[in-house]
Structure formats: C-alpha cells, structure tokens
Amino acid sequence: MKTLTACLLAATALTMAVPALAQFSKPENAIKYRQSAMFMMAQDFGRVAGMASGRIPFDAKVAADSAAVAELMSKLPWAGFGPGTDLGKTKARPEIWTNKAKFDDYARKMQAEMGQLAVAAKSGNLDSIKLAVKATGAACESCHDDFQEN
Ligand code: ASC
C-alpha cells in the first residue's frame, strides 16, 4: 500500500513537473521554448510520417521511440504562450490570445492525436500508424492554418 501511494505521488509529481517548471525569465525565452518543443516534435513526428508515407524505411523500434518523443513534445509548447509572448521573433498570430479557447481546443486535439499515434507506433502496426499520422498531421495543420503566420 505504501508502495502504491509512493508510486501515485511520484506519478502526480511527474505530470505536474511540466507546468511547474514552465516559468520563464523573459518573453523571448518562452518563445524559444515553445519553438524548440515544436521543432523537436516536427523532427520526431516527421520521421514517423516519413515511414508512413514510405519515404523512410519502416523501423518499428525507431517509429515507437520517435512517436513517444513527439507525444512528450506535444505537451510542452503551451506553457510558452503566456501573456506578453505575442511580440518578437514569432509566427504566432494575435488570435492565439484573443481566441484562446479555440487555440486551446486545437492544442488538446493535437495532443490527443499524438497520444493515439504513440499507441499505434508502440503496437508496431504500420496501417494503424498511417491512420494516426494522417489524423495527427490534420490536427497540426488546422491549427497552423488559423493561428500561424505563413
Ligand atoms: C510536420 C510539421 C508540421 C505538420 C504538418 C502536418 O511534420 O512540421 O507542421 O507535420 O505539416 O500537415
């Protein structure tokens, strides 16, 4: 029982670690943080998408590892969109802050799809991976269409 409690506490601490750590000393750092997470997510998601399209030879282990990293990265950018981070070296549109509810919906949807992709990649089934890549890519794209400058 003690072990279970300890495990639950550790798991809770881990899920809380992301927002708790997400304090930025200046807006530029928040912008860099979210861009870095997006960049890494694109690298890892892109590798899996490349396998799904046949552009990259399918390697189940690499796909599963990459999808797991992409899923983790998908949780990180949002803390970097705080107040005052709308100006600077960014393609973020002002609507992110004026239509936050819609932005947050897209963010949640993308994270959910990325989670499904990680599950599919862990299963090693290429057909499931293909379907999940398609849904995840659509979630990335719809948010970029509305909230990212070209
Ligand atoms: C990527 C990437 C995106 C999305 C999007 C999917 O790899 O960098 O922004 O996928 O292109 O349609």
Side-chain angles (χ1 to χ4, degrees):
M1 192 59 201
K2 257 188 179 167
T3 315
L4 180 64
T5 310
C7 284
L8 283 174
L9 280 175
T12 308
L14 205 64
T15 53
M16 287 169 65
V18 173
L21 284 173
Q23 307 283 341
F24 301 99
S25 53
K26 45 184 181 173
E28 300 95 281
N29 288 355
I31 293 172
K32 239 191 234 178
Y33 182 92
R34 72 195 189 210
Q35 289 173 344
S36 302
M38 293 281 194
F39 176 77
M40 291 189 65
M41 180 163 49
Q43 297 303 298
D44 284 274
F45 172 70
R47 191 175 307 114
V48 181
M51 290 183 198
S53 73
R55 189 169 47 77
I56 301 173
F58 179 55
D59 179 319
K61 168 92 170 84
V62 173
D65 289 349
S66 300
V69 173
E71 185 192 10
L72 177 59
M73 289 303 122
S74 76
K75 301 174 197 294
L76 301 182
W78 324 113
F81 286 95
T85 64
D86 53 333
L87 301 174
K89 229 182 134 197
T90 176
K91 289 196 277 182
R93 287 207 187 133
E95 286 76 13
I96 289 170
W97 292 271
T98 57
N99 200 350
K100 186 104 177 44
K102 190 176 180 193
F103 181 71
D104 290 346
D105 274 350
Y106 276 135
R108 265 192 296 274
K109 170 96 173 123
M110 186 279 282
Q111 290 172 81
E113 298 294 5
M114 205 61 90
Q116 290 298 109
L117 176 61
V119 170
K122 207 170 171 189
S123 82
N125 182 305
L126 186 55
D127 285 333
S128 310
I129 295 173
K130 285 179 185 174
L131 284 173
V133 160
K134 203 170 168 200
T136 309
C140 299
E141 206 168 314
S142 54
C143 189
H144 288 169
D145 284 350
D146 286 358
F147 290 108
Q148 186 187 49
E149 297 295 355
N150 296 315

